[in-house]
Amino acid sequence: MIHIAETLSIRTVESFLNPNEIERLNDVMDDALGPLGRDRYGTSRRTTIHEIPGYSPAEAQDVYEPAGRIEMTDIPYEATTVLDQALKLHMAAITRTLPSVTGHRPWIYLEYGAGQYITPHADGIAPDPLTRPRQIAAATVTLTDFQDTGGAFYVETTGSDAAWTTDEAPTGSGYAPGMRFAHDGTDMSSPWFGSMPRTRWSVTPAPGTLVVFGSQLVHGTEPVRAGRVRKFLTLFVSE
């Protein structure tokens, strides 16, 4: 049974990737991007993994990543293999606080250059909290050192009720009693979200640390100061 606390949790798994794995993943992604990849998956891309009801993919991209980023959903098999092996090794540490998680979606590669960032938002239990699989949390592992680059990851908390719908999960739907759901548009496309009081908690995990955060927890990244921030993202689901 899924509890709301799972969708609002945050934890880390240190040494999710070791230095050799980080080096190998950097090499694999250098080869995958090649001389044209940063244009194909960055400047020329007008699609996004994020969705906003009533917005086109290009419009949603402008809301979520106003300065752009590299986003690759078809990462090389070799990168997937390294990441999946690490996930299998550390899954017990993840499900200790996310007991509803039974699987994950394919890994995605993200890269931010100087001045680039992702705006604050909550993913929600996408695409529909009453169908399966249900997206419980997300996780990122960064290959680069935030101390050198900036671009820290953050979450935001609030005591406001504005983010929540009034509906509770139906009895027998697989959620704990009192489960609530975040509004669609819990992002910078919504004036109510922009004006909602929030408290920001920033983290700068060491390279290779997996950061796991609930799907209803507001999160984002600060602008990169110098160099490039390279990371992989996956979404944990309850099937």
Side-chain angles (χ1 to χ4, degrees):
M1 188 169 289
I2 301 168
H3 195 280
I4 192 171
E6 291 185 71
T7 70
L8 294 171
S9 65
I10 183 167
R11 67 164 298 129
T12 54
V13 180
E14 288 71 26
S15 300
F16 178 79
L17 296 174
N18 64 44
N20 289 336
E21 290 167 332
I22 292 172
E23 182 178 5
R24 184 61 191 142
L25 287 168
N26 273 315
D27 290 342
V28 168
M29 295 315 301
D30 283 342
D31 291 342
L33 289 169
L36 303 177
R38 284 192 166 83
D39 179 67
R40 175 185 175 187
Y41 297 105
T43 308
S44 297
R45 177 180 53 86
R46 297 307 288 164
T47 60
T48 176
I49 59 174
H50 295 107
E51 298 180 359
I52 303 174
Y55 281 60
S56 70
E59 290 169 335
Q61 183 184 11
D62 289 340
V63 171
Y64 277 82
E65 38 173 305
R69 70 176 182 180
I70 289 173
E71 181 181 294
M72 183 191 293
T73 56
D74 53 339
I75 71 170
Y77 174 78
E78 186 172 357
T80 296
T81 299
V82 172
L83 293 162
D84 281 350
Q85 288 174 344
L87 192 56
K88 182 178 181 180
L89 181 64
H90 296 283
M91 201 63 183
I94 295 165
T95 55
R96 188 175 300 125
T97 53
L98 294 171
S100 297
V101 168
T102 57
H104 74 102
R105 293 188 171 134
W107 292 91
I108 297 165
Y109 176 73
L110 305 171
E111 185 175 308
Y112 297 84
Q116 294 181 331
Y117 60 98
I118 197 81
T119 56
H121 64 281
D123 297 331
I125 305 176
D128 180 345
L130 297 183
T131 62
R132 291 187 184 274
R134 295 168 177 172
Q135 182 176 310
I136 303 301
T140 61
V141 57
T142 303
L143 307 182
T144 42
D145 192 335
F146 289 114
Q147 303 299 330
D148 298 329
T149 63
F153 176 82
Y154 62 78
V155 299
E156 293 181 338
T157 55
T158 181
S160 173
D161 285 334
W164 302 101
T165 67
T166 58
D167 300 328
E168 292 190 3
T171 301
S173 61
Y175 291 104
M179 179 70 182
R180 298 279 297 277
F181 304 112
H183 280 292
D184 286 338
T186 303
D187 54 44
M188 296 306 291
S189 72
S190 302
W192 65 263
F193 179 76
S195 63
M196 183 177 71
R198 307 188 299 273
T199 297
R200 179 170 295 186
W201 309 68
S202 297
V203 296
T204 53
T209 298
L210 188 75
V211 179
V212 185
F213 50 97
S215 59
Q216 299 197 110
L217 186 62
V218 174
H219 60 280
T221 64
E222 296 173 359
V224 172
R225 183 177 64 251
R228 308 194 73 84
V229 171
R230 315 183 85 178
K231 62 177 65 178
F232 291 92
L233 164 75
T234 191
L235 304 171
F236 290 125
V237 297
S238 176
E239 296 167 309

